[in-house]
Structures are given as C-alpha cells and as structure tokens.
C-alpha cells in the first residue's frame, strides 16, 4: 500500500489556502463573513498559514441548529476560516483517496451523486433480474446514527495507513475533536465529515465487494442496497455485514435495514423504484407543497423575485424528471405560473 509523507507544507501553502478560500466562498460572495475576510484577503490567508505552520491553529466552536426536512437533524456549522481549512485538507487528501474508492460509492464525489446512483440501480436491476425475467430481492440498509457513531480512534488508524505525515494527522484531530464528544462522532454540515465518511466506510465497501464478492451493491453515505435473486442469500449477506460492522463500532438500523421483493418497490434516494417505473416519494411531495406555499408568500410580500422562485422550482423539477411524473410536473409548473400572476 502506497503511503504519503511531507504533505503538510503543501496543505499549508498560500496557493492551497487561496484555492480552498475560492471553494469555500462559492455561492456565498455576498455573505458578511466572506466580505469581511476578503477585505484583506492576502493577510487573512497569510495569518492562517502562520497558524497552521506553527501548529497554533484551533477551530472555533461549532454553531448548532436544527432542521426538519422531513426528519429532524442537528446541523453543526463551522466559521468561514475553519471551512477554508476543511477545503485545504480535502484538496490534498481527495486525490490520494479517490483512486481507492470503489466505483459504486456515490456520495460526495465528482461525477457521482444521487442521479448517477439511481441510473446505476436501474442498470443493476436489469442485470440481476436478467432483463426482468427473474424475480429480484433487495437488501435496503441504513447504518444506525452513522455520523454520531464514527469512532475517532478507528478513523485516525485508517487514515494513518496512507498518511504518514504526523502534522496532517494532528490537524485532522483538531477538526474531528471539535465536537460534543471527544471520542466519536462527526458534525453534519462539515465538508470534512462527508469526505471522512467515505474514508471510514471504504473498508466496508471492500469487504462487500471483495470478500463477499457481491456484484450489485451501491452505497450513498450510510445507506446502501444489494440486489440479488435469492432472499436467503441476502439474509446471509446481511448477517455477515452486521458482524463486520462491529469492527468499525457501527451497526445496521434494525427498523431501516430490511429485505424487500422488488415488485413491491424500493425507497431509494428520494424515489420509490419498481421494476418498470419510479415514483417521487410522498414525503418529498409534502415537502414540495410546503416549499411552494413559502415561496408564494415570500414572492407576494416582495422578499424574493420570480427568478428565485423559478430557480427553486426548476431544481425540484429536474429531480422529479427522473421519475414517472409528467402530470405532477405539469401541475407544479401551472401552479407556479398562476401565483406569479396574482
């Protein structure tokens, strides 16, 4: 296994910090904290460079807030300077780890994402069922409280297999220890958490693909599916995966990890997927209706213009287009145009 040393000078370099700053500010140029940092950009980045080089850098305590969309989640937000550091770390580590990730890991990676995962599911569905001529079963699994359960010691041990630069490891420890619990957990909302999730679960991916030799496997963060024509085989796979996860101090969610016959449809990444069609999940439709009510009120009160309304609706329509939803999309377009003329 190839290992990497002397990464820290690259990580701390002004060029890398400038690149990280440009990524961190993307889409947020008008935010006050970005405007303030940009006032004296060169010195701001040089000061951050000094903090990192002298190992005096200390992340600011995370801001915590709750969102409900539709399930309740606690999001922890880093200050802008710390987000630059997160990007600086990933700029260096991502090229190292990207080539080790399996093809069918679809979250938080370039040229991947939910739509690519859905396309892959459709492809696997056809292959595993021999063009829908055989019955098919799907193990739909969810890792229980994944982000709150990631063990810091195990994560660092995994990282140390490749990263032999003790200063890089020191910096990563600063980031992951900036949490409610000093031994486990990563904050939802940090870019580093999304990246380290893939690093942490890469061992699981290799176990499933290379030890169990499972062909039809797709993972998206802590959710994964396995397609197979025999239910008992999937039961055996599930048992072996549960035992393996104990090595990572993780466990499958007992209520969200089950085996379903394909003909009943599988809830996957916002869609209900059947043999020959897909539907938008009802909970997502409820969220859309709530969103439209808020958009209409904000538009009528003059808080947003119609372009912002269109951008929000177009994003949802692009997602719905991958389901059998022609009539639904038509209704949404008509209702949007109606309230714009009120």
């Amino acid at each position: 296994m190839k290992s990497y040393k002397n990464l820290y000078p690259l990580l701390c370099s002004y060029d890398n910090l400038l690149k990280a700053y440009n990524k961190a500010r993307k889409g947020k140029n008008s935010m006050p904290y970005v405007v303030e940092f940009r006032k004296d950009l060169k010195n701001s980045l040089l000061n951050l460079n000094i903090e990192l080089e002298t190992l005096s850098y200390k992340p600011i305590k995370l801001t915590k807030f709750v969102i409900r969309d539709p399930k309740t989640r606690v999001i922890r937000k880093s200050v802008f300077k710390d987000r630059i550091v997160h990007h600086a770390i990933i700029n260096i580590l991502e090229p190292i780890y990207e080539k080790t990730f399996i093809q069918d890991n679809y979250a938080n990676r370039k040229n991947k994402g939910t739509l690519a995962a859905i396309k892959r599911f459709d492809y696997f569905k056809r292959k595993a069922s021999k063009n829908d001529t055989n019955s098919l079963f799907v193990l739909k699994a969810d890792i229980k409280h994944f982000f709150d359960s990631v063990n810091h010691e195990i994560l660092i041990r995994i990282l140390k297999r490749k990263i032999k630069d003790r200063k890089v490891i020191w910096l990563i420890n600063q980031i992951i220890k900036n949490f409610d619990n000093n031994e486990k957990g990563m904050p939802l909302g940090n870019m580093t958490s999304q990246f380290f999730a893939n690093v942490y679960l890469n061992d699981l991916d290799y176990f499933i693909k290379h030890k169990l030799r499972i062909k039809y496997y797709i993972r998206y963060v802590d959710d994964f599916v396995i397609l197979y024509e025999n239910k008992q085989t999937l039961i055996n796979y599930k048992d072996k995966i549960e035992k393996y996860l104990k090595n990572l101090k993780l466990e499958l969610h007992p209520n969200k990890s089950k085996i379903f016959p394909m003909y009943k449809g599988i809830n996957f990444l916002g869609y209900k997927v059947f043999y020959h069609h897909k539907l938008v999940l009802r909970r997502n439709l409820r969220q859309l209706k709530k969103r439209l009510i808020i958009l209409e009120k904000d538009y009528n009160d003059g808080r947003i213009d119609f372009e912002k309304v269109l951008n929000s609706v177009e994003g949802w329509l692009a997602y719905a287009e991958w389901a059998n939803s022609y009539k639904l999309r038509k209704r949404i377009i008509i209702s949007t145009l109606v309230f714009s003329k009120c």
Side-chain angles (χ1 to χ4, degrees), residues 157-193:
R157 191 189 311 147
I158 292 170
L159 287 163
K160 280 183 175 180
R161 293 177 199 160
K162 282 191 166 295
I163 308 305
K164 302 300 182 181
D165 188 321
R166 63 179 182 82
K167 290 182 180 179
V168 173
I169 297 299
W170 168 84
L171 181 57
I172 292 170
N173 261 312
Q174 297 299 306
I175 300 299
I176 65 175
K177 297 297 182 185
N178 187 29
F179 193 63
D180 301 339
N181 189 318
N182 279 328
E183 295 182 358
K184 66 177 183 176
M186 298 190 300
L188 273 172
N190 269 11
M191 186 180 180
T192 47
S193 298

Side-chain angles (χ1 to χ4, degrees), residues 13-267:
S13 70
Y14 183 87
D15 286 347
N16 187 45
L17 292 179
L18 179 60
K19 183 180 177 183
Y21 158 77
N22 284 323
K23 287 184 176 180
R25 74 183 175 95
K26 190 175 181 180
K28 301 178 177 67
N29 277 319
S30 61
M31 299 300 288
Y33 53 79
V34 178
V35 174
E36 183 63 29
F37 196 91
R38 195 170 56 226
K39 282 181 181 177
D40 191 5
L41 179 59
K42 186 172 182 179
N43 279 329
S44 296
L45 292 177
L46 286 173
N47 288 335
L48 181 54
N49 165 264
I50 291 169
E51 284 183 41
L52 291 169
E53 284 188 342
T54 59
L55 306 184
S56 60
Y57 167 77
K58 190 78 176 174
I60 303 298
K61 187 176 180 181
L62 300 165
T63 302
K64 186 189 298 186
F65 59 96
V66 176
I67 63 170
R68 296 172 176 85
D69 66 336
K71 64 181 180 181
T72 300
R73 293 185 295 167
V74 178
I75 305 296
R76 294 170 175 85
K77 187 176 180 180
S78 297
V79 300
F80 184 63
K81 185 179 82 169
D82 291 339
R83 278 181 260 167
I84 294 172
V85 175
H86 299 168
H87 279 281
I89 292 171
I90 293 170
N91 284 347
I92 301 302
L93 296 190
E94 188 175 52
I96 293 171
Y97 281 95
E98 178 59 31
K99 50 194 162 188
T100 73
F101 295 153
I102 67 167
Q103 178 183 352
D104 292 312
N105 160 11
Y106 281 88
N108 310 301
R109 296 175 66 194
K110 293 175 184 176
N111 303 316
K112 296 291 184 177
T114 55
L115 292 182
I118 287 294
K119 287 182 182 179
R120 188 68 163 169
F121 186 97
D122 285 343
Y123 172 74
F124 279 171
K125 175 163 57 72
R126 290 193 300 271
K127 292 285 285 186
S129 66
K130 294 181 173 55
N131 289 322
D132 302 331
T133 58
N134 290 346
S135 60
L136 195 62
F137 294 88
V138 180
L139 167 58
K140 172 72 170 63
D142 177 285
I143 298 175
K144 184 179 178 182
H145 304 313
F146 171 69
F147 282 96
D148 287 335
S149 302
V150 169
N151 183 278
H152 295 172
E153 184 181 343
I154 293 174
L155 173 60
I156 293 298
R157 191 189 311 147
I158 292 170
L159 287 163
K160 280 183 175 180
R161 293 177 199 160
K162 282 191 166 295
I163 308 305
K164 302 300 182 181
D165 188 321
R166 63 179 182 82
K167 290 182 180 179
V168 173
I169 297 299
W170 168 84
L171 181 57
I172 292 170
N173 261 312
Q174 297 299 306
I175 300 299
I176 65 175
K177 297 297 182 185
N178 187 29
F179 193 63
D180 301 339
N181 189 318
N182 279 328
E183 295 182 358
K184 66 177 183 176
M186 298 190 300
L188 273 172
N190 269 11
M191 186 180 180
T192 47
S193 298
Q194 312 303 316
F195 176 74
F196 291 142
N198 277 336
V199 173
Y200 199 86
L201 291 175
N202 200 36
D203 282 6
L204 173 65
D205 295 339
Y206 272 72
F207 173 75
I208 290 174
K209 293 294 290 183
H210 299 293
K211 295 291 184 182
L212 299 182
R213 297 185 178 276
I214 295 173
K215 284 185 180 180
Y216 306 122
Y217 164 74
I218 299 171
R219 181 173 65 79
Y220 193 94
V221 194
D222 54 337
D223 290 333
F224 64 86
V225 290
I226 297 173
L227 295 81
Y228 202 72
E229 60 189 30
N230 184 280
K231 183 177 181 180
Q232 185 57 51
T233 301
L234 284 178
I235 291 171
N236 294 338
Y237 285 155
K238 181 173 180 281
D239 182 58
K240 289 176 181 177
I241 290 167
E242 285 180 312
K243 288 176 181 175
Y244 181 81
L245 282 172
K246 291 179 182 178
N247 299 323
L248 298 173
K249 296 191 182 299
L250 300 173
E251 59 181 300
L252 294 182
H253 196 296
N255 299 325
K256 298 179 182 179
S257 302
K258 296 180 179 178
I259 296 167
F260 302 92
M262 188 70 227
Y263 76 87
K264 287 189 176 181
I266 308 300
N267 290 358

